Each structure stands twice: as C-alpha cells, then as structure tokens.
C-alpha cells in the first residue's frame, strides 16, 4: 500500500478519521523514520489498521470480516495451500459453488485476486480484514509463519523430489524464481543454512552414512546433530549445494571447493564450501564466515590487561616476526585480523598473502594463493617485497622457502605476522629450525610467539554458583584458600544456550617474548623444553594458567579448561 499512500490518506480525511494536524505529524514522522504516511498514522495512534481496512472497503463497496470471531472450516482452508496463503497473505473464508471468498488486507491489490483465480482455478471474491488479523489467522490455520527444518522435513517426507528444480542454476537466493523457491529441496537447503545461522553455528556438516544422511552444526566448537533429512533426499540436497557454490554436479570423484553468498535475516552471509567424495556419497562442509570478526580489536579477544599491554607492545614493533600458533579452529586468523586492525593506519602499507582470502579488509592489500598458476606463498612474498610494504601478514608458514623469505623480510625492516601449527609457543622456535631455518636467523628475527585456544563461555542467563570437584582442584592446581574467597560458576542450561550451559567463546593465551637470553638459547639449538623452562622463569603463563584466571573470573568452567588444555603439563 505505500505506493498509494496519498490516495489512502485522502479517503481517511474524507471519512473524518484523521485531522489536518494528525496528517502533519504523520508526514514529519514518515520523513524522519523513513515510513509510509499511512504507517506513520498507525504508529502515532491516529488510526488503527482495522480503521484503514474498513475505510477502503467502504470506498470500494466491499464487505469486511472480523477473522478473530470467525472459524474457517478445515475443508475451506485445504483449498489454499500453505505456501500460497503465506505468499499472498490471504485467508480463505468460505466456498459456495465455484466461488471462493478470501480475506485480504489491501482492497487496492487487484493483482493478488487475479493471481489466486489463476492458481486455484476458482472464481475468487475478496473481503477485507485487518492485516494483523490475517497474520494471526495464518499462524492459527497454517502453523508458525517461520519455516523450520523440522516442519519442512515433515512436509516433504512423503512428497516427491523434483531433481530438475533442485539443480536449477541460480546461485543467489534473490535470483530464485517464485516457482523454484517453492520447491521443497530448495527451501530445505536454505532453511538448513538459516537455522545454522540462528544457532550461531560456525560450520554445517552434511555427511552421508550407510543408512542415513547426518546433519550437524558446530556451535561454540562442539558438533550438535540436528534433524536428519531422509536418505533418499541425499542426491538432491548435495546437487543443490554444489550448484549454489558453483561446483560441477557431474564430477563426483574428486574433492571440490566453492563459496555461497546469500542474504539471511537482513545480512549477507558468506559460506566456504568443501565437497569430499566418501564411501556413501559426497560429504559437504560449509564454514560460515562471520564478518563481525573483521571489526574486532585487541580488547575484544579476551586478554586480561597485562597480556593486552604485551600485545600492544608487540604489534607496535617496527620489524621482526610475530607468530600465532595453535590447531585449526583455534582462532589464529581472527587474532591476526585484530592485530592488523590495531595498526591499520593511512601511513602504513599492509599486504597479506592468504589461502584462502576469507574476508575483504578495508585499506589492506590482500593476495590469494593459487598453486595452479604457481602463485605459492613464497612466490607471492617475493613479489610483495617489491611493493615496499611496512607490514606483511602470511596466512601460514608451511615450508622452508616461505620461512626464509619471512625471516629476510623481518631483518630488512618489515613487521611480519604469521601462523604455525604447534601445540605451544616455545615449540614454534624448534619447528622453524626443523624446517631448515638457521638458528641465528630465528634468534634474530622472531620477536614474540603466542599460542592460543578457544574455550566456551558460561551462559549469562543460567549461570549459577559452582563448587569444583577434588579432581578439578587437583588438575588446575587451584588454591583452596583462593577458591573460598571467590565464586565459581557453571551454566545450568537454558533455551538461550540450547541447554548446554555455554554461550560464545573466548581465547586463552600463552605469550612468549624473545629476549637476549632466549636468543642465546635458540642460537645454541636447545630443545623446546629448555626454552619453555626459560620462558616460565621470565614469567610466561601457560595456556592452562591463563584458563585458570578465566575460571576464577567466572568466564568459563574448570571442566572446559581441563578438556582444552590436556597437553599442558606445566
């Protein structure tokens, strides 16, 4: 109705429902809040939606109906399918001979009536009802307006699957036609993604097993199984996802990678998709790329004040190498992005080389590795150095050539950020030496190394005081006197955290700063346990010790810290 607002306003004035003063107030509100004038009148309380409907119905000689007081027979509801009623926002009221009376909210919308006549093959006569009453009736007669995977699976369990529609070439949700968007498989795939997003999932796993198709969401680092589609839908679901991510549906023997970009709940959602052939079909994993991590600063990573001061000093260094270590999924990339955000200034040139480039960073030059054309980390780095950058970020140091170029760059006045896969911070030194980098070069170039893990945070909605067990006290070396002076917490489990007791994650960190004594030990090629002992003497906190601080602060639980830091023997 916004397009005909002026016409509707004229009718409301003619029948005396609004005054000139009401109209002026509504125009001002509409202008400031980007509303239609009629919606502004309703928001101000000058008229109700029912008043507007009655005035329009009277103007066009149409009847009105109060749906709240009317019970529509089931056989009449069955005449209009659920998806048609929701799409056109109509409620069938009664049927006489070949004429179906339907309730609509906008008498000016003649296109809806014409479309219903064509779709239903019936003569359609409209009556007018308030928009909010129609919305409530849609829920009353057709169920919740929000589709869920569970409802969708119930709808299609006994239906036939149209593989031709599932393989339609559209790759973006907004390009799917109305006919295709009604196809059960297309709706199911979109709902799987939407439900994962609603549940704060980082990954969606679709795994073909011998007798079923398993779907799991990774939420706060833990996999949770959800309602599984029937096994017979496996080919259609996999085909649809491959089409959406620009993969070849004809190729089922080799792994493939792709990306999906779709709008979900008012946001543009990016998914990195991996397809892997298995014994029982192709397994799909979709990583949901959370663009909010682009906005994180060092203060958002979960550092305590002393560790944050160390980090601010490290990222302000004019040169040298700063390494972040940890297993896949421990948040290393997010930490590096936060470091770059902290030093991304107009007077500094920053270039990154990544595999893949997951997020576009404003003001930063990013290079995508492409082995197919021999654009490796090492090849990209050699070219990057000719671009005269101040700061370089390398997605991962994987081989000797990349490591040597990174070291040379740091020794010639560049600040280099990168990652390594090691269990703790001191082990990164021996890892570089094992790669073949000369010890004196490692000692001269590395400024600091940080190991990190992610632990789940206690849900704030259901947390309650908790007394640690004797085992937890022993494993975390908790001081009974300190525990007695503070309150530890644990999540009871509530709908807000899906009954897990946890919501969100934060980091625990082990920061190893390289000083003159450490450089001497590195030059002498001492084993990593000696380096670790020296780092402990210098005051380095281990991952478990930092986790204990977060337990004492009521951020996470003893159980979580013990499970994440099993390898920490200190």
């Amino acid at each position: 109705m916004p397009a005909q607002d002026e016409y509707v306003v004229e009718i409301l004035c003619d029948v005396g429902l609004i005054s000139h003063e009401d109209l002026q107030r509504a125009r001002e509100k509409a202008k400031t809040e980007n509303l239609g004038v009629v919606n502004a009148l309703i928001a101000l309380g000058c008229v109700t939606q029912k008043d507007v409907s009655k005035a329009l119905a009277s103007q066009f000689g149409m009847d009105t109906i109060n749906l709240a007081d009317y019970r529509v027979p089931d056989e009449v509801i069955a005449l209009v399918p659920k998806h048609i009623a929701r799409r056109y926002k109509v409620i069938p009221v009664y049927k006489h001979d070949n004429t179906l009376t339907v309730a609509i909210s906008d008498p000016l919308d003649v296109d809806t009536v014409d479309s219903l006549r064509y779709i239903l093959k019936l003569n359609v006569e409209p009556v007018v009802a308030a928009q909010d009453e129609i919305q409530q009736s849609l829920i009353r007669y057709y169920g919740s307006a929000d589709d869920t995977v569970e409802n969708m699976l119930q709808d299609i369990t006994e239906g036939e699957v149209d593989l031709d529609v599932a393989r339609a070439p559209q790759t973006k949700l907004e390009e799917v036609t109305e006919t295709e968007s009604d196809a059960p498989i297309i709706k199911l795939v979109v709902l799987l993604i939407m439900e994962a997003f609603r549940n704060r999932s980082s990954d969606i796993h679709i795994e073909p097993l011998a007798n079923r198709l398993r779907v799991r969401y990774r939420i706060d680092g833990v996999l949770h199984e959800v309602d599984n589609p029937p096994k017979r839908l496996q080919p259609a679901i996999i085909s649809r996802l491959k089409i959406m991510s620009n993969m070849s549906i004809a190729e089922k023997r080799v792994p493939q990678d792709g990306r999906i970009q779709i709008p979900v709940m008012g946001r543009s959602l990016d998914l990195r998709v991996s397809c892997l052939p298995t014994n029982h079909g192709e397994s799909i994993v979709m990583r949901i790329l959370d663009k909010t991590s682009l906005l994180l600063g060092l203060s958002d990573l979960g550092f305590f004040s002393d560790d944050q001061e160390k980090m601010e000093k490290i990222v302000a260094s004019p040169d040298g190498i700063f390494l972040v270590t940890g297993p896949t999924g421990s948040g290393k990339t997010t930490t590096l992005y936060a470091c770059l955000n902290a030093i991304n200034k107009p007077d500094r040139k920053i270039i990154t080389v990544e595999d893949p480039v997951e997020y576009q960073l404003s003001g930063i030059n990013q290079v995508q590795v492409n082995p197919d054309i021999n654009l490796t980390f090492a090849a990209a780095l050699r070219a990057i150095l000719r671009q005269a950058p101040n700061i370089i970020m390398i997605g991962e140091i994987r081989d000797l050539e990349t490591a040597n170029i990174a070291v040379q760059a740091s020794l010639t006045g560049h600040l280099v950020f990168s990652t390594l896969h090691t269990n703790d911070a001191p082990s990164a030194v021996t890892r570089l030496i094992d790669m073949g980098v000369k010890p004196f070069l490692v000692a001269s170039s590395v400024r600091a190394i940080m190991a990190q893990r992610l632990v789940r945070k206690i849900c704030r909605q259901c947390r309650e005081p908790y007394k640690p067990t004797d085992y937890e006290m022993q494993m975390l070396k908790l001081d009974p006197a300190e525990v007695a002076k503070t309150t530890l917490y644990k999540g009871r489990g509530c709908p807000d955290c899906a009954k897990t007791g946890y919501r969100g994650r934060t980091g625990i960190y082990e920061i190893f700063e390289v000083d003159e004594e450490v450089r001497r030990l590195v030059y002498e090629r001492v084993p990593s346990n000696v380096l670790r002992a020296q780092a402990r003497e210098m005051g380095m906190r281990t991952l478990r010790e930092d986790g204990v601080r977060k337990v004492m602060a009521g951020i996470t639980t003893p159980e979580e810290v013990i499970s994440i830091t099993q390898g920490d023997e200190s």
Side-chain angles (χ1 to χ4, degrees):
M1 201 153 57
Q4 296 98 2
D5 262 11
E6 292 303 323
Y7 178 67
V8 175
V9 165
E10 186 178 337
I11 293 174
L12 295 176
C13 289
D14 289 345
V15 298
L17 284 174
I18 60 173
S19 65
H20 179 71
E21 291 76 15
D22 292 335
L23 184 55
Q24 286 299 111
R25 290 166 52 213
R27 291 192 189 282
E28 291 174 5
K29 185 178 181 67
K31 187 175 181 180
T32 56
E33 299 185 16
N34 195 26
L35 292 171
V37 178
V38 175
N39 287 334
L41 284 166
I42 294 171
L44 288 169
C46 302
V47 291
T48 65
Q49 185 68 57
K50 187 175 290 188
D51 292 334
V52 175
S53 299
K54 283 184 176 180
L56 287 171
S58 176
Q59 182 72 17
F60 288 94
M62 297 172 61
D63 293 331
T64 60
I65 187 170
N66 186 351
L67 288 174
D69 298 334
Y70 189 84
R71 177 71 176 90
V72 183
D74 292 342
E75 60 270 19
V76 175
I77 289 293
L79 294 173
V80 180
K82 176 170 60 177
H83 65 280
I84 297 297
R86 286 180 180 169
R87 183 196 301 168
Y88 292 103
K89 295 181 174 57
V90 298
I91 294 293
V93 179
Y94 53 84
K95 182 177 181 290
H96 178 68
D97 294 334
N98 199 43
T99 299
L100 178 67
T101 300
V102 299
I104 64 174
S105 63
D106 182 5
L108 300 174
D109 187 6
V110 294
D111 289 341
T112 288
V113 177
D114 289 341
S115 297
L116 290 173
R117 286 172 180 153
Y118 176 77
I119 294 170
L120 302 176
K121 310 300 183 192
L122 292 169
N123 183 30
V124 174
E125 291 294 335
V127 293
V128 179
Q131 187 175 0
D132 55 349
E133 289 184 8
I134 289 179
Q135 193 61 43
Q136 291 169 6
S137 296
L138 285 170
I139 297 173
R140 178 183 178 186
Y141 296 114
Y142 293 105
S144 173
D146 293 327
D147 282 326
T148 64
V149 172
E150 182 180 4
N151 292 339
M152 192 69 225
L153 287 175
Q154 289 176 355
D155 289 345
I156 67 177
T157 295
E158 297 180 1
E160 293 299 321
V161 177
D162 187 350
L163 276 173
D164 291 333
V165 175
R167 291 171 177 169
Q170 287 79 11
T171 58
K172 294 184 180 179
L173 191 61
E174 61 267 28
E175 294 177 359
V176 178
T177 66
E178 286 186 352
T179 302
E180 289 165 348
S181 66
D182 291 333
I185 290 301
I186 292 177
K187 291 184 70 175
L188 176 60
V189 167
V190 172
L191 286 171
L192 282 170
I193 296 172
M194 289 180 64
E195 198 155 295
F197 179 74
R198 289 193 194 108
N199 287 304
R200 304 175 294 105
S201 305
S202 60
D203 302 272
I204 306 170
H205 294 251
I206 300 177
E207 304 160 314
L209 304 180
N211 299 311
R212 63 191 179 105
L213 181 65
R214 182 168 66 180
V215 177
R216 295 190 289 177
Y217 297 155
R218 188 181 296 278
I219 304 171
D220 294 333
V222 178
L223 284 169
H224 298 269
E225 188 165 347
V226 297
D227 293 318
N228 296 324
K231 178 71 173 178
R232 67 185 180 83
L233 299 185
Q234 177 179 316
I237 292 172
I238 300 301
S239 294
R240 184 61 194 165
L241 285 169
K242 290 173 72 174
I243 286 293
M244 292 175 70
S245 51
N246 287 324
M247 297 181 193
S248 169
I249 61 172
E251 182 56 76
K252 300 181 179 181
R253 301 165 299 170
V254 297
Q256 296 184 70
D257 294 302
R259 291 179 83 108
I260 296 175
Q261 282 189 315
I262 60 172
V264 172
M265 299 168 66
R267 293 173 55 178
S268 177
L269 198 63
D270 288 346
L271 298 98
R272 193 178 73 207
V273 186
S274 171
C275 178
L276 180 70
T278 67
N279 283 345
H280 303 292
E282 292 168 288
S283 172
I284 298 276
V285 175
M286 291 176 278
R287 166 69 57 89
I288 300 175
L289 303 179
D290 183 8
K291 292 187 177 181
T292 58
S293 62
L294 296 179
L295 307 176
L296 295 181
L298 292 176
S299 59
D300 302 311
L301 296 180
F303 291 114
F304 284 112
S305 57
D306 53 348
D307 283 343
Q308 185 165 334
E309 287 178 11
K310 290 180 184 177
M311 284 297 297
E312 289 172 350
K313 184 180 75 172
I314 291 167
V315 300
S317 301
D319 54 32
I321 297 177
F322 172 56
L323 294 172
V324 181
T325 75
T328 300
S330 60
K332 300 188 296 297
T333 301
T334 299
T335 296
L336 289 181
Y337 282 163
C339 291
L340 294 181
N341 280 335
I343 56 179
N344 186 12
K345 304 286 171 39
D347 61 341
R348 296 174 181 174
K349 180 162 185 173
I350 304 175
I351 304 181
T352 74
V353 52
E354 306 171 62
D355 183 22
V357 174
E358 293 185 349
Y359 306 107
Q360 300 296 324
L361 299 171
S362 177
I364 294 177
N365 302 279
Q366 296 173 269
V367 178
Q368 167 78 53
V369 168
N370 188 350
D372 293 339
I373 59 173
N374 203 31
L375 183 60
T376 61
F377 276 107
L381 279 173
R382 282 193 294 270
I384 282 172
L385 292 176
R386 293 193 288 272
Q387 295 277 313
N390 302 102
I391 298 152
I392 300 170
M393 195 268 273
I394 306 169
E396 182 185 348
I397 294 178
R398 298 177 177 175
D399 51 50
L400 175 59
E401 188 177 10
T402 303
N404 276 331
I405 297 173
V407 167
Q408 294 300 327
S410 71
L411 294 176
T412 53
H414 302 85
L415 179 59
V416 180
F417 296 95
S418 191
T419 68
L420 272 179
H421 288 284
T422 61
N423 289 328
D424 61 5
S427 297
V429 171
T430 53
R431 175 83 177 97
L432 288 174
I433 295 174
D434 289 343
M435 277 186 182
V437 182
K438 302 296 184 185
F440 75 91
L441 292 175
V442 176
S444 303
S445 60
V446 176
R447 294 285 178 268
I449 304 165
M450 183 175 75
Q452 70 176 68
R453 300 289 189 277
L454 294 176
V455 294
R456 292 181 291 174
K457 296 193 292 185
I458 300 169
C459 175
R460 291 285 174 176
Q461 301 299 319
C462 64
R463 74 172 190 170
E464 58 187 13
Y466 170 72
K467 183 179 180 181
T469 64
D470 291 341
Y471 171 77
E472 291 169 341
M473 294 282 289
Q474 178 184 353
M475 291 297 293
L476 298 183
K477 301 180 181 176
L478 297 175
D479 183 353
E482 289 295 321
V483 172
K485 290 190 294 185
T486 189
T487 303
L488 304 189
Y489 293 95
K490 190 171 187 176
R492 181 179 63 255
C494 67
D496 199 48
C497 61
K499 305 293 184 182
T500 63
Y502 298 97
R503 184 176 175 86
R505 288 191 291 176
T506 190
I508 56 175
Y509 303 98
E510 176 179 285
I511 303 175
F512 176 34
E513 295 182 281
V514 177
D515 64 0
E516 290 301 324
E517 179 60 23
V518 171
R519 289 192 183 96
R520 183 185 64 81
L521 294 174
V522 173
Y523 186 75
E524 294 175 359
R525 299 190 68 158
V526 300
S528 59
N529 63 321
V530 176
L531 285 176
R532 188 171 181 81
Q534 176 62 29
R536 301 284 284 120
E537 285 184 20
M538 293 163 50
M540 180 189 81
R541 269 184 297 273
T542 65
L543 289 166
R544 177 161 290 187
E545 288 168 345
D546 192 44
V548 167
R549 289 206 299 172
K550 289 180 169 65
V551 167
M552 300 298 286
I555 297 171
T556 189
T557 63
E559 177 187 18
E560 182 72 1
V561 171
I562 291 171
S563 66
I564 295 298
T565 60
Q566 285 287 357
D568 189 351
E569 299 177 359
S570 298

